[in-house]
Amino acid sequence: MKRVLFTILIMLFFAGTSYADRIRCASTTSTQNSGLFEYLLPFFEKEAGVKVDVVAVGTGAAFKIGMRGDADVLLVHAKTEELRLVNEGYFVDRHDVMYNDFVILGPVDDPAGLRGIRSAPIAFSLINKRGTVFVSRGDNSGTHKKEMSIWKTLDMDPRWNKWYLEVGQGMAKAIRIASEKRAYILADRGTWLAINDSDDLGMEVLVEGDRILFNQYGVMIVNPERHGHVKYDDARKFVDFLISEKGQGLVASFRNKQGKQLFYPNAGK
Amino acid sequence: MNIVLSNISKSYNGTRALRECSVAIEKGISTAVIGPNGSGKSTLLRIAALIEGPGSGKVSYGEFRSADDVKKLRQLIGVVLSGDTLFNDSVYDNVAYGLKIRKMNKNELRGKVSDMLASLSLSDKAGKHAMELSSGEAQRVAVARALVTEPEYLFLDEPTASLDPLNTEIIENALQEIRALRRMTIVTVTHNMFQTKRIADRVMMMYEGKVIEENITGAIFDSPENEITRRFINGIMVY
Amino acid sequence: MERLFYSIKEAFRLIITLDSEMLGIVSLSLGVSIAAICFASLAGIVLAYALAFRKVPLKAFVVSTMNTFMGLPPVVVGLVLYLLLSRSGPMGFMKLLYTPYAMVIAQVLLALPIITAMSHASLVAVRPAIKYAAKGLGASDAQASIAVVRYARYGIISSVMAGLGRVMAEVGAVLIVGGNIAGYTRVMTTTIALEYDKGNFELAIALGIILLLIALILNSALYMYQRKVYR
């Protein structure tokens, strides 16, 4: 018995030391839920000999993790803020990597009558006017930031309305809640397409294609001058891989279980 | 080695159990300690048996001071306390405990334990759990586990209280048998005056935390010097 | 409904074929929780013994704190530990955040109050006579203490099992300090939460079944062990 426990402790001690180098990437739930990392990382890890540990949180939380020095590299989607934080010296070497877009999902019977509308702000104002239930991430994630910026174009604060539900959950969970509540929701297309059982949810894409719904993903490294322990060289290898021809090709060739493309590479464009 | 207790005092939560009590217990002698409830008999026994330290005063075994040699001296001692004091293990494990503490090898241990169980008519109970025993059986196990280590000093606190005559006889016979083989020192706290006469060479009478009279058994019962002793052994209230 | 049946069928297939991803997650879960329980038991039982039989400053305060902390919300433990272990926190130099070690620490903190409080309750119920009896049979003071702990062993083992049950089922704290990193800090509960998000119910159901089985096995073993007393 004692020997068994001892063995377990030793195993635990060496767990995770098999890679000489490992870097930590703070990223978003939408990227993780899509399965992109599982597809992409083995190529990089084999090529560079660096293991990437992905911690998936909201974009806002990923910023905090990076600013506290608890990650080496970030892959997130809130470009305006990314550029601001680079300017303020928290991060370096920011690059566009890929994009997809946000969509407004709603119940198939569409009680607010959004189908056919092209403009996201007009769709939001209709939801407001008719008071149909709307689910918000409410977690400071990239999607939440985008949603707030759309409300802002209408010059209104939707919070404290009875029809407005801030759920404080990841993207997929928020979509499930919207489905149960027969509510509208702003979601990134990647997560929507990645949900395996989306046919059962009784929801569909009602508004898409507006310029404001463009969703840019970017990569950046935690400034090693702020946090000396950041593995800049290995993180740099990861950034270079993502924006390389090979990395970009892999992003383009990634398909979800239903065979759909979720991300479009646009590094250096 | 004679046991000498000098000027022992002991209090529990402010209540004094022993008051500057001094006693000498002679080697190889069987001593009975009698006295009313609350007179300090059990406390005296625990301190003499090195189970508890004295509040003040000192205990010595021959030239050994208890404070310095507790570990070594405890190996020479066996104790049977009053009440339910068995470990929640099998009868066998209870009896083997003292031998395991003394690091006896397994084969020798097995032999000693089964001999001891036999001499207390417990052979068929070896595998039973201590919680399943009758009170008579439980007390016989308690005696067996104290005797199995062949102690030079044996302390018994009301070893047959609330037992029927048969169980009492089994226990007293086992003690007599062992004593016939080796003259060990025995100290017995008891309320049973007949038992005192049967087993004790000497008697100590305790009252209010002190030994007030001590003599050979015959003398104590025939001609007690202290008035309290006389009233106590004649069954008259002494409180 | 069709999808549900399919998911359940697939879950059993994963279990029966001992899917390697699933096994990795299960063994990491067990490794982290068992390591945490070893540390928590050692510390908890010693602490409980000291609280029961030794002079300890602020004893009543410590005991009531332990009783209160039995219900400590795991996410609070996770949050506090995150702030401590973060590179910008006071213990950041130890580089423990988002590692299995951080998860072990979180689970130790969650299990320690349960083990301490429940063991303490079992130990104080042991009569002084048991300790006296051990000393009277030749035990040294340390050996007599072991005899007391042994006497209380059924209650103490129950407390260890209760602690293990809590940490195995816990998700909030390990998610925060472990980061749910695939193949490194992803344990059964955090996988279930993630796979639910993704709508991949097969692995989630399979792990749920395994968690239940482990709980069942632990409790049956405990029941059998305790029943030995009244054979």
Side-chain angles (χ1 to χ4, degrees), chain B residues 1-177:
Chain B
M1 296 180 287
N2 296 340
I3 307 171
V4 178
L5 284 70
S6 29
N7 292 320
I8 306 286
S9 293
K10 180 86 180 175
S11 307
Y12 296 99
N13 300 323
T15 311
R16 291 185 68 176
L18 293 179
R19 302 160 189 258
E20 308 213 330
C21 178
S22 293
V23 175
I25 297 161
E26 212 178 312
K27 184 177 186 252
I29 295 290
S30 172
T31 307
V33 183
I34 60 171
N37 290 328
S39 58
K41 304 184 297 296
S42 293
T43 307
L44 181 80
L45 180 128
R46 286 199 297 269
I47 289 172
L50 308 182
I51 287 173
E52 279 192 286
S56 67
K58 61 181 182 186
V59 181
S60 55
Y61 277 64
E63 71 271 28
F64 296 106
R65 286 274 306 279
S66 72
D68 311 321
D69 300 291
V70 170
K71 240 181 148 172
K72 201 163 44 181
L73 290 173
R74 269 192 200 149
Q75 306 288 310
L76 310 175
I77 295 172
V79 182
V80 177
L81 294 165
S82 61
D84 172 19
T85 61
L86 295 186
F87 304 128
N88 54 0
D89 289 295
S90 69
V91 167
Y92 183 93
D93 287 338
N94 265 282
V95 176
Y97 182 81
L99 298 177
K100 280 183 188 160
I101 289 281
R102 287 163 179 77
K103 302 203 161 47
M104 180 175 284
N105 75 57
K106 268 202 177 136
N107 284 328
E108 201 183 345
L109 180 146
R110 204 171 297 145
K112 292 236 178 200
V113 172
S114 48
D115 288 353
M116 185 48 64
L117 287 173
S119 70
L120 282 152
S121 318
L122 286 166
S123 296
D124 56 332
K125 302 283 189 282
K128 277 209 159 193
H129 195 278
M131 284 177 173
E132 300 171 297
L133 302 175
S134 72
S135 58
E137 289 163 347
Q139 195 58 16
R140 271 145 56 196
V141 173
V143 172
R145 73 177 179 180
L147 290 180
V148 76
T149 61
E150 297 174 3
E152 287 182 36
Y153 301 90
L154 182 63
F155 295 88
L156 306 162
D157 192 353
E158 301 188 40
T160 58
S162 77
L163 295 192
D164 59 30
L166 178 63
N167 275 301
T168 306
E169 198 185 328
I170 294 175
I171 288 173
E172 284 186 13
N173 285 345
L175 290 170
Q176 299 293 4
E177 253 171 57

Side-chain angles (χ1 to χ4, degrees), chain A residues 34-36 39 249-256 260-263:
Chain A
S34 71
L36 176 69
Y39 175 73
L250 287 168
V251 168
S253 66
F254 170 60
R255 295 288 183 278
N256 75 350
K260 290 176 192 148
Q261 180 169 2
L262 302 187
F263 298 100

